Amino acid sequence: MTAPDPPPSHPAHGLRARWRQVRRLPFTLMLASLLAGLGIVQLTFQLGNLGYRSVTWVRETRETQERVASLERDVRVLEEAAAAAQSPAYLEQLARCQGFVGAEEDVIVAVGAPETPGENCAVRRVP
């Protein structure tokens, strides 16, 4: 013997369930569209922010590299000045710039020379 078939469900009950699903469909689509729109807005903002940060980063990197190059030049000049400060030829040249003369040299002064002489050499900037 086979088990009796269950009584058929009321056709109106199945129809109502389907109608509720159909009525919810527009709300679900509107909600999905709203969320998709918000996602697009957020993506657009993030892409714009990424572009702005990239441009800013490139500019600041370039400025930093220029500053580093300037500081490296200053270090090189200072190292050259420190090395030259130990050289007897440089010290003699510096003394001559300040008006000193050697022990066996004669000093000749012009008739119209000023009382306080100025520097004979150009001043070099040291960083």
Side-chain angles (χ1 to χ4, degrees):
M1 277 198 125
T2 61
D5 290 334
S9 64
H10 193 344
H13 180 66
L15 188 60
R16 274 190 230 135
R18 281 204 184 267
W19 177 246
R20 269 187 257 144
Q21 286 178 347
V22 169
R23 279 192 5 213
R24 282 190 188 161
L25 189 61
F27 175 73
T28 306
L29 287 176
M30 286 189 300
L31 184 61
S33 297
L34 177 67
L35 291 176
L38 288 174
I40 291 171
V41 169
Q42 181 183 12
L43 178 65
T44 304
F45 173 77
Q46 292 296 338
L47 289 175
N49 191 25
L50 177 67
Y52 171 75
R53 287 174 47 200
S54 296
V55 168
T56 303
W57 182 81
V58 167
R59 186 185 72 238
E60 289 177 356
T61 302
R62 189 178 314 117
E63 289 172 357
T64 302
Q65 288 172 343
E66 291 171 359
R67 178 75 176 136
V68 167
S70 171
L71 291 173
E72 287 174 347
R73 278 192 304 272
D74 289 349
V75 166
R76 196 170 41 252
V77 168
L78 288 172
E79 287 173 346
E80 291 171 1
Q86 304 304 320
S87 165
Y90 174 77
L91 294 174
E92 181 181 347
Q93 180 187 8
L94 186 61
R96 287 196 178 277
C97 284
Q98 293 177 356
F100 292 97
V101 293
E104 293 144 12
E105 295 177 339
D106 293 330
V107 179
I108 300 174
V109 179
V111 177
E115 197 64 35
T116 55
E119 295 251 345
N120 296 332
C121 300
V123 177
R124 183 174 174 189
R125 175 182 115 38
V126 178

